[in-house]
Coordinates of all heavy atoms in Angstrom, one line a residue:
M226 N -177.6 -18.0 -156.9 CA -177.4 -19.2 -156.1 C -176.8 -20.3 -157.0 O -177.2 -20.5 -158.1 CB -178.8 -19.7 -155.6 CG -178.7 -20.9 -154.7 SD -180.3 -21.6 -154.2 CE -180.9 -20.4 -153.1
N227 N -175.7 -21.0 -156.5 CA -175.1 -22.0 -157.3 C -175.8 -23.3 -157.2 O -176.8 -23.4 -156.5 CB -173.6 -22.1 -156.8 CG -173.5 -22.6 -155.4 OD1 -174.3 -23.3 -154.9 ND2 -172.3 -22.3 -154.8
G228 N -175.3 -24.3 -158.0 CA -176.0 -25.6 -158.0 C -175.9 -26.2 -156.6 O -176.9 -26.9 -156.2
Q229 N -174.9 -26.0 -155.8 CA -174.8 -26.6 -154.4 C -176.0 -26.0 -153.6 O -176.6 -26.7 -152.9 CB -173.5 -26.3 -153.8 CG -173.3 -26.7 -152.4 CD -173.2 -28.2 -152.3 OE1 -173.0 -28.9 -153.2 NE2 -173.3 -28.8 -151.0
G230 N -176.2 -24.7 -153.7 CA -177.3 -24.1 -152.9 C -178.6 -24.6 -153.3 O -179.5 -24.8 -152.4
R231 N -178.9 -24.8 -154.6 CA -180.2 -25.4 -155.0 C -180.4 -26.7 -154.5 O -181.4 -27.1 -154.0 CB -180.3 -25.3 -156.5 CG -180.6 -23.9 -157.0 CD -181.0 -24.0 -158.5 NE -179.9 -24.5 -159.3 CZ -178.9 -23.7 -159.8 NH1 -178.9 -22.4 -159.5 NH2 -177.9 -24.2 -160.6
R232 N -179.3 -27.6 -154.5 CA -179.5 -28.9 -154.0 C -179.8 -28.9 -152.5 O -180.6 -29.7 -152.1 CB -178.2 -29.7 -154.3 CG -178.4 -31.2 -154.1 CD -177.2 -32.0 -154.4 NE -176.2 -31.8 -153.5 CZ -174.9 -31.9 -153.8 NH1 -174.5 -32.3 -154.9 NH2 -174.0 -31.6 -152.8
L233 N -179.1 -28.2 -151.8 CA -179.3 -28.1 -150.3 C -180.7 -27.5 -150.1 O -181.4 -28.1 -149.1 CB -178.2 -27.2 -149.6 CG -176.9 -27.8 -149.6 CD1 -175.9 -26.8 -149.0 CD2 -176.8 -29.1 -148.9
S234 N -181.1 -26.6 -150.8 CA -182.5 -26.1 -150.7 C -183.5 -27.2 -150.9 O -184.5 -27.4 -150.2 CB -182.7 -24.9 -151.6 OG -184.0 -24.5 -151.5
N235 N -183.4 -28.0 -151.9 CA -184.3 -29.1 -152.3 C -184.2 -30.1 -151.2 O -185.3 -30.6 -150.8 CB -184.0 -29.7 -153.6 CG -184.3 -28.8 -154.7 OD1 -185.1 -27.9 -154.6 ND2 -183.6 -29.0 -155.9
M236 N -183.0 -30.4 -150.6 CA -182.9 -31.5 -149.6 C -183.6 -30.9 -148.3 O -184.3 -31.7 -147.7 CB -181.5 -31.6 -149.2 CG -180.7 -32.7 -150.0 SD -179.1 -32.9 -149.5 CE -179.1 -33.2 -147.8
T237 N -183.5 -29.6 -148.0 CA -184.3 -29.1 -146.9 C -185.7 -29.2 -147.1 O -186.4 -29.6 -146.1 CB -183.8 -27.6 -146.7 OG1 -182.4 -27.5 -146.5 CG2 -184.5 -27.0 -145.5
G238 N -186.2 -28.9 -148.2 CA -187.6 -29.1 -148.5 C -188.1 -30.5 -148.3 O -189.2 -30.7 -147.7
E239 N -187.3 -31.5 -148.9 CA -187.7 -32.9 -148.7 C -187.6 -33.3 -147.3 O -188.4 -34.0 -146.8 CB -186.7 -33.7 -149.5 CG -186.9 -33.6 -151.1 CD -185.8 -34.2 -151.8 OE1 -185.1 -35.1 -151.3 OE2 -185.7 -34.0 -153.1
W240 N -186.6 -32.8 -146.6 CA -186.4 -33.2 -145.2 C -187.6 -32.7 -144.3 O -188.2 -33.3 -143.5 CB -185.1 -32.6 -144.7 CG -184.9 -32.9 -143.2 CD1 -184.8 -32.0 -142.2 CD2 -184.7 -34.1 -142.5 NE1 -184.6 -32.6 -141.0 CE2 -184.5 -34.0 -141.2 CE3 -184.7 -35.5 -143.0 CZ2 -184.3 -34.9 -140.3 CZ3 -184.5 -36.5 -142.1 CH2 -184.4 -36.2 -140.7
A241 N -188.0 -31.4 -144.6 CA -189.1 -30.8 -143.9 C -190.4 -31.5 -144.2 O -191.2 -31.8 -143.2 CB -189.2 -29.3 -144.3
A242 N -190.6 -32.0 -145.4 CA -191.8 -32.7 -145.7 C -191.8 -34.0 -145.0 O -192.8 -34.6 -144.5 CB -191.9 -32.9 -147.2
A243 N -190.6 -34.7 -145.0 CA -190.6 -36.0 -144.4 C -190.8 -35.9 -142.8 O -191.5 -36.7 -142.2 CB -189.2 -36.7 -144.6
C244 N -190.3 -34.9 -142.2 CA -190.5 -34.6 -140.8 C -191.9 -34.3 -140.5 O -192.5 -34.8 -139.6 CB -189.6 -33.4 -140.3 SG -187.9 -33.9 -140.2
A245 N -192.6 -33.5 -141.3 CA -194.0 -33.1 -141.1 C -194.8 -34.4 -141.3 O -195.7 -34.7 -140.5 CB -194.4 -32.1 -142.2
A246 N -194.5 -35.2 -142.3 CA -195.3 -36.5 -142.5 C -195.2 -37.4 -141.2 O -196.1 -38.1 -140.9 CB -194.9 -37.1 -143.7
G247 N -194.0 -37.4 -140.7 CA -193.7 -38.3 -139.5 C -194.0 -37.6 -138.2 O -193.8 -38.2 -137.2
H248 N -194.6 -36.4 -138.2 CA -194.8 -35.6 -137.0 C -193.6 -35.5 -136.1 O -193.7 -35.6 -134.9 CB -196.0 -36.3 -136.2 CG -197.2 -36.5 -137.0 ND1 -198.0 -35.5 -137.4 CD2 -197.8 -37.6 -137.5 CE1 -199.0 -36.0 -138.1 NE2 -198.9 -37.3 -138.2
A249 N -192.5 -35.2 -136.7 CA -191.2 -35.1 -136.1 C -190.8 -33.6 -136.0 O -190.9 -32.9 -137.0 CB -190.2 -35.9 -136.7
A250 N -190.2 -33.2 -134.9 CA -189.7 -31.8 -134.8 C -188.3 -31.8 -135.6 O -187.5 -32.7 -135.4 CB -189.5 -31.4 -133.4
R251 N -188.1 -30.8 -136.4 CA -186.9 -30.6 -137.1 C -185.7 -30.1 -136.3 O -184.6 -30.2 -136.8 CB -187.1 -29.8 -138.3 CG -187.9 -30.5 -139.4 CD -188.3 -29.7 -140.6 NE -187.4 -28.7 -141.0 CZ -187.6 -27.6 -141.6 NH1 -188.8 -27.2 -141.8 NH2 -186.7 -26.8 -141.9
S252 N -186.0 -29.4 -135.2 CA -184.9 -28.8 -134.6 C -185.1 -29.0 -133.0 O -186.3 -28.9 -132.5 CB -184.9 -27.3 -134.8 OG -183.9 -26.6 -134.0
M253 N -184.0 -29.2 -132.3 CA -184.1 -29.4 -130.8 C -183.8 -28.2 -130.1 O -183.8 -28.2 -128.9 CB -183.3 -30.6 -130.5 CG -183.8 -31.9 -131.0 SD -182.7 -33.2 -130.4 CE -183.4 -34.6 -131.3
S254 N -183.3 -27.2 -130.8 CA -182.9 -25.9 -130.1 C -183.0 -24.7 -131.0 O -183.5 -24.9 -132.1 CB -181.4 -26.1 -129.6 OG -180.6 -26.2 -130.8
R255 N -182.6 -23.6 -130.6 CA -182.7 -22.4 -131.4 C -181.7 -22.4 -132.5 O -180.6 -23.0 -132.4 CB -182.4 -21.2 -130.4 CG -183.4 -21.1 -129.4 CD -183.0 -20.1 -128.4 NE -181.9 -20.7 -127.6 CZ -181.2 -20.1 -126.7 NH1 -181.3 -18.8 -126.5 NH2 -180.3 -20.8 -126.0
K256 N -182.1 -21.9 -133.6 CA -181.3 -21.9 -134.8 C -180.0 -21.2 -134.5 O -179.9 -20.2 -133.9 CB -182.1 -21.2 -135.9 CG -181.4 -21.2 -137.3 CD -182.2 -20.6 -138.3 CE -181.5 -20.6 -139.7 NZ -182.4 -20.0 -140.7
A257 N -178.8 -21.7 -135.1 CA -177.6 -21.1 -135.0 C -177.0 -21.0 -133.6 O -176.3 -20.1 -133.2 CB -177.5 -19.8 -135.8
R258 N -177.4 -21.9 -132.7 CA -177.0 -21.8 -131.3 C -176.2 -23.1 -131.1 O -176.6 -24.1 -130.5 CB -178.1 -21.8 -130.3 CG -179.0 -20.6 -130.4 CD -178.3 -19.4 -129.8 NE -178.0 -19.6 -128.5 CZ -177.2 -18.9 -127.7 NH1 -176.6 -17.9 -128.2 NH2 -177.0 -19.2 -126.4
S259 N -174.9 -23.0 -131.5 CA -174.1 -24.2 -131.4 C -173.9 -24.7 -130.0 O -173.8 -26.0 -129.8 CB -172.7 -23.9 -132.0 OG -172.1 -22.8 -131.4
P260 N -173.8 -23.9 -128.9 CA -173.8 -24.5 -127.6 C -175.0 -25.4 -127.3 O -174.9 -26.4 -126.6 CB -173.7 -23.3 -126.7 CG -173.1 -22.2 -127.4 CD -173.7 -22.4 -128.8
D261 N -176.2 -25.0 -127.8 CA -177.3 -25.8 -127.6 C -177.2 -27.1 -128.3 O -177.7 -28.2 -127.9 CB -178.6 -25.1 -128.1 CG -178.9 -23.9 -127.3 OD1 -178.4 -23.7 -126.2 OD2 -179.8 -23.1 -127.8
N262 N -176.6 -27.1 -129.5 CA -176.5 -28.3 -130.3 C -175.3 -29.2 -130.1 O -175.3 -30.3 -130.6 CB -176.5 -27.9 -131.9 CG -177.8 -27.2 -132.2 OD1 -179.0 -27.7 -131.8 ND2 -177.7 -26.2 -133.0
A263 N -174.3 -28.8 -129.5 CA -173.1 -29.6 -129.4 C -173.2 -30.9 -128.9 O -172.7 -31.9 -129.4 CB -172.0 -28.7 -128.6
R264 N -173.9 -31.1 -127.7 CA -174.0 -32.4 -127.1 C -174.9 -33.3 -128.1 O -174.6 -34.5 -128.2 CB -174.6 -32.3 -125.7 CG -173.8 -31.7 -124.8 CD -174.2 -31.6 -123.4 NE -174.4 -33.0 -123.0 CZ -174.0 -33.5 -121.8 NH1 -173.4 -32.8 -121.0 NH2 -174.2 -34.8 -121.5
R265 N -175.9 -32.8 -128.7 CA -176.7 -33.7 -129.5 C -175.9 -34.1 -130.8 O -176.0 -35.2 -131.2 CB -178.0 -32.9 -129.9 CG -179.1 -33.0 -128.9 CD -180.3 -32.4 -129.4 NE -180.3 -30.9 -129.1 CZ -180.6 -30.3 -128.0 NH1 -180.9 -31.1 -126.9 NH2 -180.5 -29.0 -127.8
E266 N -175.2 -33.1 -131.3 CA -174.4 -33.4 -132.5 C -173.3 -34.5 -132.1 O -173.1 -35.3 -132.9 CB -173.7 -32.1 -133.0 CG -174.6 -31.1 -133.6 CD -175.3 -31.6 -134.9 OE1 -174.8 -32.5 -135.6 OE2 -176.4 -31.2 -135.1
G267 N -172.8 -34.4 -130.9 CA -171.8 -35.4 -130.5 C -172.5 -36.8 -130.4 O -171.9 -37.8 -130.9
L268 N -173.6 -36.8 -129.8 CA -174.4 -38.1 -129.7 C -174.8 -38.6 -131.0 O -174.5 -39.8 -131.2 CB -175.6 -37.9 -128.8 CG -176.6 -39.1 -128.8 CD1 -175.9 -40.3 -128.2 CD2 -177.9 -38.8 -128.1
F269 N -175.2 -37.9 -131.9 CA -175.6 -38.4 -133.2 C -174.4 -38.8 -134.0 O -174.5 -39.8 -134.8 CB -176.5 -37.3 -134.0 CG -177.8 -37.1 -133.4 CD1 -178.3 -35.9 -133.2 CD2 -178.7 -38.3 -133.3 CE1 -179.6 -35.8 -132.6 CE2 -179.9 -38.2 -132.8 CZ -180.4 -36.9 -132.5
G270 N -173.3 -38.1 -133.9 CA -172.0 -38.6 -134.6 C -171.6 -39.9 -134.0 O -171.3 -40.9 -134.8
T271 N -171.6 -40.1 -132.8 CA -171.3 -41.4 -132.1 C -172.3 -42.4 -132.5 O -171.9 -43.6 -132.8 CB -171.2 -41.2 -130.6 OG1 -170.2 -40.2 -130.3 CG2 -170.8 -42.5 -129.9
L272 N -173.5 -42.1 -132.4 CA -174.6 -43.1 -132.8 C -174.4 -43.6 -134.2 O -174.5 -44.8 -134.5 CB -176.0 -42.4 -132.7 CG -177.2 -43.2 -133.2 CD1 -177.5 -44.3 -132.2 CD2 -178.4 -42.3 -133.4
K273 N -174.1 -42.7 -135.2 CA -173.8 -43.1 -136.5 C -172.7 -44.0 -136.7 O -172.6 -45.1 -137.3 CB -173.7 -41.8 -137.5 CG -175.0 -41.1 -137.7 CD -174.9 -40.1 -138.9 CE -174.0 -39.0 -138.4 NZ -174.0 -37.9 -139.4
S274 N -171.5 -43.7 -136.0 CA -170.3 -44.5 -136.2 C -170.5 -45.8 -135.4 O -170.0 -46.9 -135.9 CB -169.1 -43.7 -135.8 OG -169.2 -43.3 -134.5
D275 N -170.9 -45.8 -134.2 CA -171.0 -47.0 -133.4 C -172.1 -47.9 -133.7 O -172.0 -49.1 -133.7 CB -171.2 -46.6 -131.9 CG -170.0 -46.1 -131.2 OD1 -168.9 -46.0 -131.8 OD2 -170.1 -45.7 -130.0
F276 N -173.3 -47.3 -134.0 CA -174.5 -48.2 -134.2 C -174.9 -48.4 -135.7 O -175.3 -49.5 -136.1 CB -175.7 -47.4 -133.4 CG -177.0 -48.1 -133.7 CD1 -177.3 -49.3 -132.9 CD2 -178.0 -47.5 -134.4 CE1 -178.5 -49.9 -133.1 CE2 -179.2 -48.1 -134.5 CZ -179.5 -49.2 -133.9
F277 N -174.9 -47.3 -136.4 CA -175.6 -47.4 -137.7 C -174.6 -47.9 -138.8 O -174.9 -48.8 -139.5 CB -176.2 -46.0 -138.1 CG -177.1 -46.1 -139.3 CD1 -178.3 -46.6 -139.2 CD2 -176.6 -45.6 -140.5 CE1 -179.2 -46.6 -140.3 CE2 -177.5 -45.7 -141.6 CZ -178.7 -46.2 -141.5
H278 N -173.4 -47.2 -139.0 CA -172.6 -47.6 -140.1 C -172.0 -48.9 -139.8 O -171.6 -49.3 -138.7 CB -171.5 -46.5 -140.3 CG -172.0 -45.2 -140.7 ND1 -172.7 -45.0 -142.0 CD2 -172.0 -44.0 -140.2 CE1 -173.0 -43.8 -142.1 NE2 -172.6 -43.2 -141.0
G279 N -171.8 -49.6 -140.9 CA -171.2 -51.0 -140.8 C -172.1 -52.0 -140.5 O -171.7 -53.2 -140.3
T280 N -173.4 -51.8 -140.4 CA -174.4 -52.8 -140.1 C -175.3 -52.9 -141.3 O -175.7 -52.0 -142.0 CB -175.3 -52.3 -138.9 OG1 -174.5 -52.1 -137.8 CG2 -176.4 -53.4 -138.5
D281 N -175.6 -54.1 -141.6 CA -176.5 -54.4 -142.8 C -177.9 -54.4 -142.3 O -178.3 -55.3 -141.6 CB -176.2 -55.8 -143.4 CG -177.0 -56.1 -144.6 OD1 -177.8 -55.3 -145.0 OD2 -176.8 -57.2 -145.2
W282 N -178.7 -53.4 -142.7 CA -180.0 -53.2 -142.1 C -181.0 -53.7 -143.0 O -182.3 -53.7 -142.7 CB -180.3 -51.7 -141.8 CG -179.4 -51.0 -140.9 CD1 -178.3 -50.3 -141.0 CD2 -179.6 -51.3 -139.4 NE1 -177.8 -50.0 -139.8 CE2 -178.5 -50.6 -138.8 CE3 -180.5 -52.0 -138.6 CZ2 -178.3 -50.5 -137.4 CZ3 -180.3 -51.9 -137.3 CH2 -179.2 -51.2 -136.7
R283 N -180.6 -54.3 -144.1 CA -181.7 -55.0 -144.9 C -182.4 -56.1 -144.2 O -181.8 -56.9 -143.5 CB -181.0 -55.6 -146.2 CG -180.5 -54.5 -147.2 CD -179.8 -55.0 -148.3 NE -178.5 -55.6 -147.8 CZ -177.5 -56.0 -148.6 NH1 -177.6 -55.9 -149.9 NH2 -176.4 -56.4 -148.0
G284 N -183.6 -56.1 -144.3 CA -184.5 -57.1 -143.7 C -184.9 -56.8 -142.3 O -185.6 -57.6 -141.7
V285 N -184.3 -55.8 -141.8 CA -184.6 -55.4 -140.3 C -185.9 -54.6 -140.4 O -186.0 -53.6 -141.0 CB -183.5 -54.6 -139.7 CG1 -183.8 -54.2 -138.3 CG2 -182.2 -55.4 -139.7
T286 N -186.9 -55.0 -139.6 CA -188.2 -54.3 -139.5 C -188.0 -53.0 -138.7 O -187.0 -52.8 -137.9 CB -189.3 -55.1 -138.9 OG1 -188.9 -55.3 -137.5 CG2 -189.5 -56.4 -139.6
F287 N -189.0 -52.0 -138.8 CA -188.9 -50.9 -138.1 C -188.9 -51.1 -136.6 O -188.2 -50.5 -135.8 CB -189.9 -49.8 -138.5 CG -189.9 -48.6 -137.7 CD1 -188.9 -47.7 -137.8 CD2 -190.9 -48.4 -136.7 CE1 -188.9 -46.5 -137.1 CE2 -190.8 -47.3 -135.8 CZ -189.8 -46.3 -136.1
A288 N -189.8 -52.1 -136.2 CA -190.0 -52.4 -134.8 C -188.6 -53.0 -134.3 O -188.2 -52.6 -133.1 CB -191.0 -53.4 -134.6
E289 N -188.0 -53.8 -135.0 CA -186.7 -54.3 -134.6 C -185.6 -53.3 -134.5 O -184.8 -53.2 -133.6 CB -186.2 -55.5 -135.5 CG -185.0 -56.2 -135.1 CD -184.5 -57.3 -136.0 OE1 -185.2 -57.6 -136.9 OE2 -183.3 -57.8 -135.8
F290 N -185.6 -52.4 -135.6 CA -184.6 -51.3 -135.5 C -184.9 -50.4 -134.3 O -183.9 -50.1 -133.6 CB -184.8 -50.5 -136.8 CG -183.9 -49.2 -136.8 CD1 -182.6 -49.3 -137.2 CD2 -184.4 -48.0 -136.4 CE1 -181.8 -48.2 -137.2 CE2 -183.6 -46.9 -136.5 CZ -182.2 -47.0 -136.9
R291 N -186.1 -50.1 -134.0 CA -186.4 -49.3 -132.9 C -186.0 -49.9 -131.5 O -185.5 -49.2 -130.7 CB -187.9 -49.0 -132.8 CG -188.4 -48.0 -131.7 CD -189.8 -47.7 -131.8 NE -190.6 -48.9 -131.7 CZ -191.8 -49.0 -132.2 NH1 -192.4 -48.0 -132.7 NH2 -192.4 -50.2 -132.1
E292 N -186.2 -51.2 -131.5 CA -185.7 -52.0 -130.2 C -184.2 -51.9 -130.1 O -183.7 -51.7 -129.1 CB -186.2 -53.4 -130.4 CG -186.2 -54.2 -129.1 CD -186.9 -55.5 -129.3 OE1 -188.1 -55.7 -129.6 OE2 -186.2 -56.5 -129.2
R293 N -183.5 -52.2 -131.2 CA -182.0 -52.1 -131.2 C -181.5 -50.7 -130.8 O -180.6 -50.5 -130.1 CB -181.5 -52.5 -132.5 CG -181.6 -53.9 -132.8 CD -180.8 -54.2 -134.1 NE -181.1 -55.5 -134.7 CZ -180.5 -56.0 -135.7 NH1 -179.6 -55.2 -136.4 NH2 -180.8 -57.2 -136.2
L294 N -182.2 -49.7 -131.4 CA -181.8 -48.3 -131.1 C -182.0 -47.9 -129.7 O -181.1 -47.3 -129.0 CB -182.6 -47.3 -132.0 CG -182.3 -45.9 -131.8 CD1 -180.8 -45.5 -132.1 CD2 -183.3 -45.1 -132.8
G295 N -183.1 -48.3 -129.1 CA -183.4 -48.2 -127.7 C -182.3 -48.8 -126.8 O -181.9 -48.2 -125.9
A296 N -182.0 -50.0 -127.2 CA -180.9 -50.7 -126.4 C -179.6 -50.0 -126.5 O -178.9 -49.9 -125.5 CB -180.9 -52.2 -126.9
Y297 N -179.3 -49.5 -127.7 CA -178.0 -48.8 -127.9 C -178.0 -47.5 -127.0 O -177.0 -47.2 -126.3 CB -177.8 -48.4 -129.3 CG -176.6 -47.6 -129.4 CD1 -175.3 -48.0 -129.5 CD2 -176.7 -46.2 -129.5 CE1 -174.2 -47.3 -129.5 CE2 -175.6 -45.3 -129.6 CZ -174.3 -45.9 -129.6 OH -173.3 -45.0 -129.6
I298 N -179.1 -46.7 -127.1 CA -179.2 -45.5 -126.3 C -179.1 -45.8 -124.8 O -178.4 -45.1 -124.1 CB -180.4 -44.7 -126.7 CG1 -180.3 -44.2 -128.1 CG2 -180.7 -43.6 -125.7 CD1 -181.6 -43.6 -128.7
E299 N -179.7 -46.8 -124.4 CA -179.6 -47.2 -122.9 C -178.2 -47.6 -122.6 O -177.7 -47.1 -121.5 CB -180.6 -48.4 -122.6 CG -180.5 -48.9 -121.2 CD -180.9 -48.0 -120.1 OE1 -181.7 -47.1 -120.5 OE2 -180.3 -48.0 -119.0
W300 N -177.5 -48.4 -123.5 CA -176.1 -48.8 -123.2 C -175.2 -47.4 -123.2 O -174.3 -47.3 -122.4 CB -175.6 -49.7 -124.2 CG -174.2 -50.0 -124.3 CD1 -173.6 -50.8 -123.4 CD2 -173.2 -49.5 -125.1 NE1 -172.2 -50.8 -123.6 CE2 -172.0 -50.0 -124.7 CE3 -173.2 -48.6 -126.2 CZ2 -170.8 -49.6 -125.4 CZ3 -172.1 -48.2 -126.8 CH2 -170.9 -48.8 -126.4
H301 N -175.4 -46.6 -124.2 CA -174.6 -45.4 -124.3 C -174.7 -44.5 -123.2 O -173.7 -43.9 -122.7 CB -175.0 -44.7 -125.6 CG -174.1 -43.5 -125.9 ND1 -174.4 -42.2 -125.3 CD2 -173.0 -43.4 -126.6 CE1 -173.4 -41.4 -125.7 NE2 -172.6 -42.0 -126.5
G302 N -175.9 -44.4 -122.6 CA -176.2 -43.5 -121.4 C -175.7 -44.1 -120.1 O -175.3 -43.3 -119.2
G303 N -175.6 -45.4 -120.0 CA -175.2 -45.9 -118.7 C -174.2 -47.1 -118.7 O -173.6 -47.4 -117.7
G304 N -174.0 -47.8 -119.8 CA -173.2 -48.9 -119.9 C -172.0 -48.8 -120.6 O -171.2 -49.7 -120.7
K305 N -171.8 -47.7 -121.4 CA -170.6 -47.6 -122.2 C -169.5 -46.9 -121.3 O -169.7 -45.9 -120.7 CB -170.9 -46.6 -123.3 CG -169.7 -46.4 -124.3 CD -170.1 -45.4 -125.5 CE -168.9 -45.2 -126.3 NZ -169.2 -44.4 -127.4
P306 N -168.3 -47.6 -121.3 CA -167.2 -47.0 -120.5 C -166.8 -45.6 -121.1 O -166.8 -45.4 -122.2 CB -166.1 -48.0 -120.8 CG -166.7 -49.3 -121.2 CD -168.0 -48.9 -121.9
K307 N -166.6 -44.7 -120.2 CA -166.2 -43.3 -120.5 C -164.8 -43.0 -120.0 O -164.4 -43.3 -119.0 CB -167.2 -42.4 -119.8 CG -168.7 -42.7 -119.9 CD -169.1 -42.3 -121.2 CE -170.8 -42.6 -121.3 NZ -171.3 -42.4 -122.6
K308 N -164.1 -42.4 -120.9 CA -162.7 -42.0 -120.7 C -162.6 -41.1 -119.5 O -161.7 -41.3 -118.6 CB -162.1 -41.3 -121.9 CG -160.7 -40.9 -121.8 CD -160.2 -40.3 -123.0 CE -158.7 -39.9 -122.9 NZ -158.3 -39.3 -124.1
A309 N -163.5 -40.2 -119.3 CA -163.5 -39.2 -118.2 C -163.7 -39.9 -116.8 O -163.4 -39.3 -115.8 CB -164.6 -38.1 -118.4
L310 N -164.3 -41.1 -116.8 CA -164.6 -41.8 -115.6 C -163.6 -42.9 -115.4 O -163.9 -43.9 -114.7 CB -166.0 -42.4 -115.6 CG -167.1 -41.4 -115.8 CD1 -168.5 -42.1 -115.9 CD2 -167.2 -40.3 -114.7
G311 N -162.4 -42.8 -116.0 CA -161.4 -43.8 -115.8 C -161.8 -45.1 -116.5 O -161.4 -46.2 -116.0
R312 N -162.5 -45.0 -117.6 CA -162.8 -46.2 -118.4 C -164.0 -47.0 -117.6 O -164.2 -48.2 -117.9 CB -161.7 -47.0 -118.8 CG -160.8 -46.4 -119.7 CD -161.3 -46.2 -121.1 NE -160.4 -45.5 -121.9 CZ -160.7 -44.8 -123.0 NH1 -162.0 -44.6 -123.4 NH2 -159.7 -44.2 -123.7
R313 N -164.5 -46.5 -116.6 CA -165.7 -47.1 -116.0 C -167.0 -46.6 -116.6 O -167.0 -45.6 -117.3 CB -165.7 -46.7 -114.5 CG -164.6 -47.3 -113.7 CD -164.8 -47.0 -112.2 NE -164.8 -45.6 -111.9 CZ -164.9 -45.1 -110.8 NH1 -165.0 -45.8 -109.7 NH2 -164.8 -43.7 -110.7
T314 N -168.0 -47.4 -116.5 CA -169.3 -47.0 -117.0 C -169.9 -46.0 -116.0 O -169.5 -46.0 -114.8 CB -170.2 -48.2 -117.1 OG1 -170.6 -48.6 -115.8 CG2 -169.7 -49.4 -118.0
P315 N -170.8 -45.2 -116.5 CA -171.5 -44.3 -115.5 C -172.2 -45.1 -114.3 O -172.1 -44.6 -113.2 CB -172.6 -43.6 -116.4 CG -171.9 -43.5 -117.7 CD -171.3 -44.9 -117.8
R316 N -172.7 -46.2 -114.6 CA -173.3 -47.0 -113.5 C -172.3 -47.4 -112.5 O -172.5 -47.3 -111.3 CB -174.0 -48.2 -114.1 CG -175.2 -47.9 -114.9 CD -176.0 -49.2 -115.3 NE -177.1 -48.8 -116.1 CZ -177.1 -49.0 -117.4 NH1 -176.1 -49.7 -118.0 NH2 -178.1 -48.6 -118.2
E317 N -171.1 -47.9 -113.0 CA -170.0 -48.3 -112.1 C -169.6 -47.0 -111.2 O -169.3 -47.1 -110.1 CB -168.8 -48.9 -112.9 CG -169.1 -50.2 -113.5 CD -168.1 -50.6 -114.5 OE1 -167.3 -49.8 -115.0 OE2 -168.0 -51.9 -114.8
H318 N -169.4 -45.9 -112.0 CA -169.0 -44.7 -111.3 C -169.9 -44.3 -110.2 O -169.5 -44.0 -109.0 CB -168.8 -43.6 -112.3 CG -168.3 -42.2 -111.7 ND1 -167.0 -42.1 -111.3 CD2 -169.0 -41.1 -111.6 CE1 -166.8 -40.9 -110.8 NE2 -168.0 -40.3 -111.0
R319 N -171.2 -44.3 -110.5 CA -172.2 -43.9 -109.5 C -172.2 -44.9 -108.3 O -172.4 -44.5 -107.2 CB -173.7 -43.8 -110.1 CG -173.8 -42.6 -111.0 CD -175.3 -42.4 -111.4 NE -175.7 -43.5 -112.4 CZ -175.7 -43.4 -113.6 NH1 -175.2 -42.4 -114.2 NH2 -176.1 -44.4 -114.3
A320 N -172.1 -46.2 -108.6 CA -172.0 -47.2 -107.6 C -170.8 -46.9 -106.7 O -170.9 -47.1 -105.5 CB -172.0 -48.6 -108.2
A321 N -169.7 -46.6 -107.3 CA -168.5 -46.3 -106.4 C -168.6 -45.2 -105.6 O -168.1 -45.1 -104.5 CB -167.2 -46.2 -107.4
L322 N -169.4 -44.2 -106.0 CA -169.7 -43.0 -105.2 C -170.8 -43.2 -104.2 O -171.1 -42.4 -103.4 CB -170.1 -41.8 -106.1 CG -168.9 -41.3 -107.0 CD1 -169.5 -40.2 -107.9 CD2 -167.8 -40.9 -106.2
G323 N -171.5 -44.4 -104.2 CA -172.5 -44.7 -103.4 C -173.9 -44.1 -103.7 O -174.8 -44.1 -103.0
Y324 N -174.0 -43.7 -105.0 CA -175.2 -43.1 -105.5 C -176.2 -44.2 -106.1 O -177.3 -43.9 -106.3 CB -175.0 -42.1 -106.6 CG -174.2 -40.9 -106.0 CD1 -173.2 -40.2 -106.8 CD2 -174.5 -40.4 -104.8 CE1 -172.5 -39.2 -106.3 CE2 -173.8 -39.3 -104.3 CZ -172.8 -38.7 -105.1 OH -172.1 -37.6 -104.6
A325 N -175.7 -45.3 -106.5 CA -176.6 -46.3 -107.2 C -177.3 -47.1 -106.2 O -176.8 -47.4 -105.1 CB -175.7 -47.2 -108.1
A326 N -178.5 -47.5 -106.6 CA -179.3 -48.4 -105.7 C -179.0 -49.8 -106.0 O -178.5 -50.2 -107.0 CB -180.8 -48.1 -106.0

């Protein structure tokens, strides 16, 4: 095993321990099932670029971070304009179709 492999192995062990300590599941789907993971990977990539990177998180409490993250996820799911919907938000699209209350 090369140095890269050892480093990744150690990272995996640290990650597994951190997940276990936080009672978090490490996988949301079956191992090596890219169709299962594609949508989540896309969301997490967008989350990192839109929400996380470029923000100074120093001094932000976990409670505040969790609140901001929840607001971002809510916006992403229903308030973010989507190219596939003609730059309308999902809420606007559903309303135009008569599905929204």
Side-chain angles (χ1 to χ4, degrees):
M226 182 184 289
N227 63 24
Q229 177 73 12
R231 280 193 297 278
R232 189 175 73 207
L233 292 176
S234 177
N235 290 338
M236 273 181 52
T237 302
E239 291 171 15
W240 177 247
C244 289
H248 306 288
R251 288 177 32 211
S252 178
M253 295 183 184
S254 66
R255 296 168 286 173
K256 186 176 181 178
R258 296 288 300 170
S259 59
D261 291 349
N262 293 322
R264 291 186 62 132
R265 277 183 278 282
E266 292 295 331
L268 171 64
F269 287 126
T271 302
L272 175 74
K273 287 190 294 187
S274 64
D275 285 358
F276 174 75
F277 192 76
H278 292 301
T280 302
D281 184 1
W282 294 103
R283 289 177 288 196
V285 176
T286 66
F287 177 73
E289 185 179 353
F290 176 81
R291 185 176 57 200
E292 197 173 296
R293 288 186 193 183
L294 178 60
Y297 172 83
I298 291 171
E299 175 65 29
W300 171 78
H301 184 274
K305 180 180 181 179
K307 310 287 183 183
K308 183 177 180 180
L310 302 177
R312 300 289 179 202
R313 291 186 297 181
T314 70
R316 289 187 188 107
E317 292 168 339
H318 181 70
R319 286 189 296 266
L322 295 174
Y324 297 141

